[in-house]
Amino acid sequence: MTSYIGLSRAKHLIVVSRFLEGTGAAVEPMVERANLPVECVTCPEMLVPTLGIREFREVAARALGRPNIALDATQGLKIDQLGQFGHALAQTRCLYHALTEFCSLANTESSSVVVTLKQGAECVWLEHRPLHKQPHQWNSELYILNVMLWTVRLSAPNWSPAHVYVCFAATPDRKAALLSLGCERATFGAMHTSFAIPRSMLALPLRLKQ
């Protein structure tokens, strides 16, 4: 019986590796410690094991003493830093189309991620359900939560959700990360990571110059 191995594009590792380079840290030993090929840091479209990307983020977090390294690495994230993923989002005309494209891209670029947009009467819910979640791999959940929020903020730069649900247990560092993301109300230990977006926002155009 063979084990299932989820794959993801290396671009989602490169966001952290570039941050590490900026700090002067040696990236290749951390990549090797996560059992990933070193060439993946220069090949954004390469498919690599998702668990390796998740482990790389935690290796980096421990090495630098930054428990929320995914947040540190994505501060000021630009749409062109996400390669074809960012380019596809930039082609959408409004927030609703950006959200549906985001879900499609996220589910295509990783076989270990399930992102959905669920319809409600007054809002839509953007929801992430990680497959093969490991309790210590917090930075991968933080990374996708940040990119989920970042996608909404392409249309509404100063927007924050009224409440966020997070599928990891609470710690002081994790609570601090959510506050840094502008999420003042959060429920930890939920089944999925999600937040609601009012339907009144869905027609907003993207503001890519922000």
Side-chain angles (χ1 to χ4, degrees):
M1 182 177 178
T2 58
S3 299
Y4 172 79
I5 300 177
L7 300 174
S8 298
R9 299 289 180 186
K11 70 186 70 170
H12 301 291
L13 170 153
I14 292 173
V15 172
V16 173
S17 72
R18 286 176 177 167
F19 173 77
L20 292 172
E21 290 169 355
T23 69
V27 176
E28 287 192 6
M30 298 187 206
V31 174
E32 292 175 336
R33 212 173 308 157
N35 295 314
L36 292 171
V38 294
E39 58 267 26
C40 71
V41 298
T42 57
C43 301
E45 300 304 320
M46 178 184 287
L47 285 170
V48 295
T50 304
L51 291 179
I53 294 179
R54 293 176 182 173
E55 186 59 29
F56 169 73
R57 292 174 181 139
E58 300 309 324
V59 168
R62 292 191 295 270
L64 270 67
R66 292 174 177 262
N68 295 319
I69 196 168
L71 178 60
D72 300 328
T74 50
Q75 292 291 337
L77 183 67
K78 304 296 184 184
I79 201 164
D80 57 358
Q81 291 176 270
L82 293 178
Q84 295 176 8
F85 189 103
H87 177 74
L89 285 179
Q91 304 309 303
T92 61
R93 295 186 176 183
C94 66
L95 177 56
Y96 181 74
H97 292 154
L99 292 171
T100 55
E101 185 69 9
F102 172 80
C103 293
S104 175
L105 291 166
N107 295 330
T108 300
E109 295 207 344
S110 174
S111 59
S112 297
V113 167
V114 178
V115 181
T116 56
L117 192 65
K118 294 189 173 181
Q119 304 294 329
E122 297 182 357
C123 62
V124 295
W125 286 85
L126 188 57
E127 178 183 285
H128 172 239
R129 178 167 57 89
L131 304 180
H132 315 296
K133 184 184 77 173
Q134 299 295 321
H136 70 284
Q137 294 175 340
W138 159 247
N139 275 285
S140 291
E141 197 63 26
L142 180 58
Y143 173 78
I144 195 153
L145 172 60
N146 197 9
V147 178
M148 288 162 65
L149 290 165
W150 173 84
T151 301
V152 179
R153 289 167 179 167
L154 290 174
S155 292
N158 299 316
W159 180 82
S160 291
H163 202 113
V164 175
Y165 296 85
V166 183
C167 66
F168 272 73
T171 68
D173 287 325
R174 293 170 185 177
K175 290 179 179 180
L178 270 288
L179 287 173
S180 295
L181 287 171
C183 303
E184 296 185 358
R185 296 184 61 198
T187 296
F188 288 85
M191 290 189 65
H192 311 303
T193 293
S194 63
F195 56 82
I197 305 153
R199 284 190 171 277
S200 59
M201 293 175 54
L202 297 181
L204 291 174
L206 269 63
R207 300 170 62 180
L208 298 181
K209 293 182 179 180
Q210 294 288 329

